[in-house]
Amino acid sequence: EHKYLAYEKASSFLMPEEENIAVITLNRPDTMNALSRGLLEELDKTLEEIRKDNKIRSVIIIGSGRAFSAGNDLSEPVTTEAEMRARMELGQNVFDKIETFDKPTIAAINGYALGGGLELAAACDIRIAADNAQLGNPEVNIGLIPSWGGCVRIPKLIGRAKAAQLILTGERIDAKEAERIGLVNKV
């Protein structure tokens, strides 16, 4: 049913005793789970399914393969200002939905969480990183800024000065540094 996501209750594959946890897997490992329009649309629909399921009490979002998400799918052409605006609004709306979701959301950050991937993680209530995780906002290196709410959410998590450093330099940090500055809750 899903082309870009794998969605199931934890009891079906991960934690048999936990039937009230939904696990959403970003499932585009060949692109390091780049956030395409299709993936964002599926994520939005899946969140609505979960919202309506009263048995589900929390949500884990994880990436398949070697990345949580490498961010916006830059291979998708955006040729007009209207297309760019629509893409930004889609990402903002989905991440706003996660931030205000009525069930706790957890980002299980494996591998890379870059650009929009970091913004997705920042929208979650809790961020747990694998010890090999790398986090950052490299889009500044191609003349972009975090446009899916990262410029607001990241400073709220780590403070203005550290957020400015990450956002304006494109610097990547490892999981331990992310935990030290409060970007992730636990490694």
Side-chain angles (χ1 to χ4, degrees):
E1 170 179 325
H2 293 284
K3 184 175 180 181
Y4 303 112
L5 297 177
Y7 162 60
E8 45 200 319
K9 292 183 183 175
S11 63
S12 62
F13 74 104
L14 184 61
M15 300 168 266
E17 69 283 358
E18 298 293 342
E19 295 185 16
N20 59 353
I21 299 172
V23 178
I24 300 172
T25 304
L26 309 177
N27 196 24
R28 299 185 68 212
D30 53 320
T31 66
M32 293 198 306
N33 303 311
L35 300 168
S36 65
R37 180 173 195 80
L39 189 148
L40 289 169
E41 289 170 347
E42 280 189 28
L43 182 55
D44 188 44
K45 289 176 188 169
T46 301
L47 289 166
E48 282 307 311
E49 290 173 32
I50 293 169
R51 185 186 308 273
K52 293 174 186 173
D53 188 337
N54 293 328
K55 292 179 184 172
I56 295 176
R57 304 197 38 128
S58 61
V59 180
I60 298 171
I61 301 174
I62 192 168
S64 63
R66 62 189 182 111
F68 177 74
S69 175
N72 192 0
D73 189 344
L74 299 177
S75 71
E76 288 186 335
V78 178
T79 57
T80 68
E81 184 179 333
E83 288 174 349
M84 176 64 81
R85 185 175 308 281
R87 182 64 175 270
M88 283 193 330
E89 287 175 1
L90 174 62
Q92 289 169 353
N93 291 338
V94 173
F95 293 0
D96 286 349
K97 182 177 285 187
I98 292 168
E99 183 177 42
T100 60
F101 207 60
D102 59 353
K103 300 171 187 192
T105 55
I106 300 167
I109 304 168
N110 52 309
Y112 298 105
L114 303 173
L118 178 54
E119 291 180 273
L120 170 58
C124 292
D125 297 310
I126 297 172
R127 287 154 301 287
I128 300 174
D131 59 3
N132 70 335
Q134 294 283 314
L135 299 90
N137 290 107
E139 56 268 52
V140 70
N141 296 317
I142 58 169
L144 301 173
I145 62 166
S147 60
W148 290 339
C151 288
V152 174
R153 290 186 186 100
I154 295 170
K156 285 181 183 177
L157 295 171
I158 64 174
R160 186 174 180 267
K162 268 295 178 193
Q165 180 180 339
L166 285 177
I167 293 168
L168 298 176
T169 67
E171 172 186 354
R172 284 189 198 177
I173 59 173
D174 64 21
K176 288 184 190 222
E177 177 65 4
E179 181 180 34
R180 187 187 75 73
I181 66 173
L183 190 54
V184 300
N185 300 79
K186 185 176 182 179
V187 176

